[in-house]
Each structure stands twice: as C-alpha cells, then as structure tokens.
Amino acid sequence: MKNISLILAAALLAASSLSAQARDTKHLLSVEEAKTQKDKEGVLDGSVKFYFAGQQHPAIITKLSSDVTNQKTNAVGKSDEEACKWVFLSALVQLHKKAKELGGNAVVNIVSYYKKNEMASATQYECHAGATLAGVALKGDIVKIADK
C-alpha cells in the first residue's frame, strides 16, 4: 500500500509539472514600448531602420531578401511582459544583423509570425510565454531605402 501511495504521489507531481510546462499564453504588446529597451550588445545602433506592417517608410531602392527570425528566451523569474520585451529585442537584433550582412539599411513590412501564423500590426507584436520560455517570431523584407 505504501508503494502505491508513493507511485500515485509521483504521478500527480509529474502531471502537475507537465501542465505548468505546457502554458502558452499569447500576449499582444506595444512595439514602441519594447523598442525603448536597449539591447545589451549595443547592436541596435540606428543604422538599420525597422518598419512594421502598415507603417510609412522611405522609397525602397532594392529588396535584398525576406527573412524570418524565431527567438526564444528564458522566462524563469521574469514576468511575461519582461520576458516578451527581451525576446522581441533579440528578434530585432537578428533582423538587424541579417540586414547588415546583406548590405541593407532597413527591414520593412515586419509582421509577427509565431508558428507561421501572420499577425500584421504597426503598433503591436505577438509573444507567447510559458513557464520557462517566451518566444517571438518576426518576418520582414530586408531592403535598401533612400536616405533622407
């Protein structure tokens, strides 16, 4: 009887930890608010401009590529919003690096692309947060735009 109780307790503990791991809360958060946070590597230096779907941008001289970035970050000990802002910034850093690598100076038509589901907004991005991870996926066109 004692063994059955121990097995039952272990099974309940395992089941409860699995449900905690499976949390996938969708958040729609402010692009502008997240962009005010500074990336720790200093990559976002202003040399690449970001324009989300629907935002006006200077004329495109050349479209160099389209790119998707799917970033995850550790969410342990952070609020969902804090983890989401951090991972959003990581996604922008990846787009910035790709644009510089290709000789671009902007990423336009940026949309959220979580699990390949497009969500276009000029003001919000989509983030999914769980018990241990938060994730943001962005898709955009890497271009050269006319400098003002």
Side-chain angles (χ1 to χ4, degrees):
M1 190 66 154
K2 187 175 181 180
N3 286 341
I4 294 173
S5 295
L6 286 174
I7 292 171
L8 185 56
L12 286 172
L13 182 62
S16 67
S17 69
L18 285 177
S19 64
Q21 295 293 333
R23 183 170 75 85
D24 185 18
T25 305
K26 176 180 172 178
H27 297 279
L28 297 178
L29 300 167
S30 166
V31 168
E32 284 308 312
E33 196 174 302
K35 281 170 59 175
T36 62
Q37 193 168 309
K38 298 290 180 205
D39 66 295
K40 67 180 177 185
E41 300 159 358
V43 172
L44 300 177
D45 59 7
S47 63
V48 173
K49 303 294 184 204
F50 299 102
Y51 299 94
F52 285 76
Q55 288 182 321
Q56 294 294 320
H57 53 77
I60 295 172
I61 297 169
T62 309
K63 179 180 174 183
L64 302 168
S65 180
S66 291
D67 197 33
V68 174
T69 179
N70 185 2
Q71 299 297 304
K72 304 282 189 244
T73 194
N74 180 344
V76 176
K78 300 178 183 100
S79 70
D80 284 1
E81 189 173 328
E82 181 184 2
C84 284
K85 283 180 182 178
W86 189 250
V87 75
F88 172 77
L89 205 59
S90 295
L92 290 183
V93 165
Q94 291 307 308
L95 289 174
H96 182 283
K97 286 179 179 178
K98 187 68 171 186
K100 294 295 278 187
E101 176 185 308
L102 296 175
N105 62 358
V107 183
V108 300
N109 304 320
I110 301 171
V111 296
S112 290
Y113 199 59
Y114 195 81
K115 293 187 178 178
K116 297 185 180 179
N117 294 312
E118 214 171 276
M119 196 278 298
S121 173
T123 59
Q124 293 182 314
Y125 68 96
E126 182 176 348
C127 175
H128 287 250
T132 58
L133 291 175
V136 168
L138 298 176
K139 179 171 85 168
D141 298 325
I142 297 170
V143 299
K144 273 193 172 184
I145 57 173
D147 287 330
K148 291 185 175 183

